[in-house]
Amino acid sequence: SAQREAALLTTFNEIDMSNVMDLRNQYKDAFLNKYGIKLGFMSFFVKAVLDGMNQVPQIAAQMRGNELVYRNYYDIGVAVGGGKGLVVPVLRNVERMSFAEIELAIADFAKKAKDNKIGLEQLEGGCFTITNGGVYGSLLSTPIVNPPQSGVLGMHGIFERPIALNGQVVIRPMMYVALTYDHRVVDGREAVTFLRRVKEVIEDPTRMLMEI
């Protein structure tokens, strides 16, 4: 349906994961002790996507017939591995969720998916999807939009690569990210702006707290 009805394009970027990895390592034990769940990368990306949507609301808009519908709340689907392959349960009202609530919800989804207990009501109604092929070793891919959504973010593996930084060649843990979007709803400038915002927030996680 997406290939047939939508005008799909994919834009790419790369993210230096150094700062978010350092932050995660610094607080992982305290986070685990307080909430009983590990601090993963997905909660950072969910927060970064939410930040990007606040700047570029078209990413969360949907075509319904001839109407373009915007939302004032954000339900984000997160792909998890299940007994019969990947499923995409939806985190409801992400704008109200903390890091711990996101991680706990994803862990609960993953358990239910492995037990084939994900209900249809948990798969419906998302306005955007995040998928992480990196857990399977993917370097780069072009994710497919889940209609009637207008965008999907693909995360990939973290690999050390040489990059140019301040005129020097350094080794950094890098991740390629891909945003596939419906060009009927989102234009190229908006898509690139959104993905660059995700990159900026992940590379400097304090932006999430300072709202800058």
Side-chain angles (χ1 to χ4, degrees):
S1 173
Q3 298 282 12
R4 194 169 55 246
E5 298 174 10
L8 299 182
L9 291 175
T10 304
T11 185
F12 304 93
N13 214 317
E14 61 179 355
I15 298 177
D16 183 346
M17 297 292 290
S18 299
N19 288 337
V20 77
M21 290 175 72
D22 289 344
L23 189 64
R24 181 171 174 253
N25 288 334
Q26 182 179 353
Y27 293 107
K28 64 180 182 180
D29 292 338
F31 192 90
L32 178 61
N33 290 335
K34 183 171 183 177
Y35 299 110
I37 189 75
K38 292 182 179 179
L39 177 59
F41 292 121
M42 186 60 79
S43 54
F44 286 96
F45 275 90
V46 170
K47 289 286 189 178
V49 163
L50 177 62
D51 189 289
M53 285 178 172
N54 286 329
Q55 288 201 353
V56 187
Q58 294 86 345
I59 292 290
Q62 297 180 355
M63 290 291 297
R64 294 183 184 174
N66 294 323
E67 294 184 341
L68 182 59
V69 179
Y70 288 84
R71 295 186 178 187
N72 59 2
Y73 61 92
Y74 297 116
D75 296 343
I76 297 178
V78 178
V80 297
K84 297 182 180 179
L86 287 177
V87 291
V88 188
V90 178
L91 298 169
R92 309 289 178 185
N93 297 111
V94 170
E95 69 279 3
R96 301 178 184 176
M97 299 180 74
S98 66
F99 278 82
E101 288 171 332
I102 292 170
E103 292 292 352
L104 287 166
I106 292 173
D108 183 59
F109 285 150
K111 184 178 184 303
K112 289 180 178 178
K114 289 180 181 179
D115 296 336
N116 293 317
K117 292 182 178 180
I118 292 285
L120 185 60
E121 69 280 357
Q122 294 174 301
L123 304 174
E124 295 178 330
C127 65
F128 188 85
T129 294
I130 304 173
T131 182
N132 185 7
V135 297
Y136 304 110
S138 172
L139 176 65
L140 188 62
S141 65
T142 54
I144 299 175
V145 167
N146 182 18
Q149 297 175 19
S150 299
V152 54
L153 178 71
M155 300 165 55
H156 299 93
I158 301 171
F159 300 100
E160 290 192 341
R161 296 200 300 272
I163 64 169
L165 182 66
N166 299 323
Q168 301 292 323
V169 176
V170 296
I171 304 297
R172 287 289 189 272
M174 304 297 294
M175 175 193 288
Y176 287 122
V177 287
L179 173 71
T180 299
Y181 60 99
D182 187 345
H183 207 321
R184 298 175 303 167
V185 179
V186 183
D187 67 26
R189 178 183 61 84
E190 292 161 349
V192 171
T193 299
F194 170 83
L195 192 57
R196 182 155 187 84
R197 182 59 182 177
V198 171
K199 169 185 171 70
E200 289 172 350
V201 171
I202 295 296
E203 289 188 340
D204 185 4
T206 54
R207 285 176 177 264
M208 300 182 197
L209 302 177
M210 300 302 296
E211 299 180 345
I212 57 175

